[in-house]
Amino acid sequence: MTVDHLQYALDAAADDDLRAAAKWYALAGMEQLVEAGYEPCEGTATGVTYFLEAISADVRAENRSRARGHVRLVRPVLLDLAENATDACLRGLAREWLGDASLLVGERDALEQYRLAGEVFEEVAFDQRLFWGGTPAFDNAYGAMKAFLATYDIEYPSSYSVDFEDRVDAKRRAYRDVVDGA
């Protein structure tokens, strides 16, 4: 019997059952990481972004302990992506997603990760941005942060924008309201 963890996550999120959605997203993320063999590739990127969805849902459900646990679990995977992915855009996204994970749970290293992401993005070609902007991983990370920032009434840049530096700058500005304002 095969369990479709992602579909359960989507169904729970549609029902606004954030705790259940977080659990199912985490299981979908773990399944994806195992399938990708934890290699620095698109499959691993998708897995960690399912975890970003889980972290975002848990934080919004006020289940911060599990959210922090998920951050501890995916941080080494994201660091591996940031350091070893052959695609520069994926290295930048991994830094950005490290920042997102930190921002979601209120950790102060988010700003440094966003700075590092911005440096990598300066070197990323337009066609790479277009490719990554159309992947499930990008959509997952975008959705996780958009839903989280909406709880602070912070408008998030369009998911269709390929101005990755602008998105990172928006998160830096949001940091003041989310972490410094807490």
Side-chain angles (χ1 to χ4, degrees):
M1 179 178 155
T2 303
V3 175
D4 189 344
H5 299 112
L6 181 57
Q7 189 57 57
Y8 282 128
L10 294 169
D11 292 345
D15 290 339
D16 206 31
D17 185 350
L18 295 175
R19 283 180 181 261
K23 176 183 81 171
W24 291 114
Y25 274 124
L27 290 169
M30 184 56 71
E31 180 177 51
Q32 186 66 42
L33 291 175
V34 170
E35 288 295 321
Y38 295 89
E39 294 297 321
C41 64
E42 186 177 347
T44 296
T46 301
V48 296
T49 61
Y50 288 152
F51 273 100
L52 290 177
E53 290 272 22
I55 296 162
S56 176
D58 267 333
V59 168
R60 289 179 286 129
E62 298 183 13
N63 192 9
R64 292 185 179 276
S65 177
R66 185 166 65 181
R68 284 189 300 274
H70 290 325
V71 171
R72 286 190 304 273
L73 183 72
V74 298
R75 183 172 280 131
V77 179
L78 282 165
L79 283 169
D80 184 53
L81 279 174
E83 295 168 3
N84 297 310
T86 56
D87 183 291
C89 197
L90 180 53
R91 288 194 310 273
L93 287 168
R95 287 290 177 190
E96 180 181 353
W97 296 338
L98 275 163
D100 291 353
S102 294
L103 178 59
L104 286 165
V105 296
E107 293 177 352
R108 300 218 171 259
D109 70 323
L111 289 176
E112 176 64 9
Q113 295 304 327
Y114 291 144
R115 183 189 67 75
L116 293 169
E119 288 177 2
V120 176
F121 289 146
E122 289 175 1
E123 302 171 18
V124 174
F126 182 74
D127 61 334
Q128 286 180 292
R129 292 169 188 245
L130 283 177
F131 170 78
W132 281 102
T135 63
F138 185 87
D139 288 344
N140 299 334
Y142 179 85
M145 288 306 293
K146 183 177 181 179
F148 171 75
L149 292 175
T151 65
Y152 291 89
D153 293 323
I154 297 172
E155 190 172 330
Y156 196 47
S158 168
S159 64
Y160 298 108
S161 172
V162 292
D163 186 349
F164 286 12
E165 294 89 349
D166 183 51
R167 189 179 60 251
V168 171
D169 286 342
K171 291 175 184 180
R172 284 184 187 134
R173 289 188 302 274
Y175 176 91
R176 288 188 297 267
D177 294 330
V178 174
V179 177
D180 288 342

